[in-house]
Amino acid sequence: KEGVLCEENMRGVRFNIHDVTLHTDAIHRGGGQIIPTTRRCLYACQLTASPRILEPVYLVEIQVPSAASGGIFGVLNKRRGIPIGSELTAGTPMEVVKAYLPVNESFG
């Protein structure tokens, strides 16, 4: 349920268990004995997988008049955005700028 880095809820995670050795006596095979051990094992598996936290990023598409595109690139640089492309719209003075923008920088 909890991740190793910041105790966040994990989603879309699957663990394959290849081998298990349980105690021969049925009294020792209850959930109180198995669940904590399994949790510690899965926690160790997560740590050995070299986890990392990624910053969420938007793919933004900005339509702007060609004369104002310099201002857009300035704002993107100030907000840690990464421009990935710029296209002129045929027959109009508009330009479409595509960029990656960190979600945290997109507010305010």
Side-chain angles (χ1 to χ4, degrees):
K1 181 177 176 176
E2 297 172 347
V4 296
L5 293 180
C6 53
E7 297 180 1
E8 75 284 0
N9 286 336
M10 297 188 326
R11 291 173 288 184
V13 176
R14 181 178 129 184
F15 296 95
N16 293 330
I17 300 173
H18 294 286
D19 186 27
V20 175
T21 304
L22 297 176
H23 199 278
T24 56
D25 192 6
I27 194 78
H28 297 291
R29 284 186 271 168
Q33 299 290 324
I34 296 172
I35 292 173
T37 305
T38 305
R39 184 172 289 160
R40 282 193 304 261
C41 179
L42 298 179
Y43 192 87
C45 290
Q46 292 172 45
L47 285 175
T48 58
S50 60
R52 52 197 158 287
I53 296 177
L54 301 176
E55 181 177 27
V57 176
Y58 285 138
L59 173 61
V60 295
E61 189 172 292
I62 305 165
Q63 294 182 358
V64 63
S66 296
S69 65
I72 293 298
F73 285 109
V75 170
L76 284 173
N77 286 332
K78 190 163 98 174
R79 294 182 177 252
R80 299 186 303 127
I82 302 170
I84 57 171
S86 174
E87 299 173 358
L88 289 171
T89 305
T92 65
M94 300 297 284
E95 186 173 347
V96 177
V97 177
K98 291 184 180 180
Y100 291 116
L101 182 65
V103 173
N104 194 32
E105 301 289 338
S106 66
F107 304 106

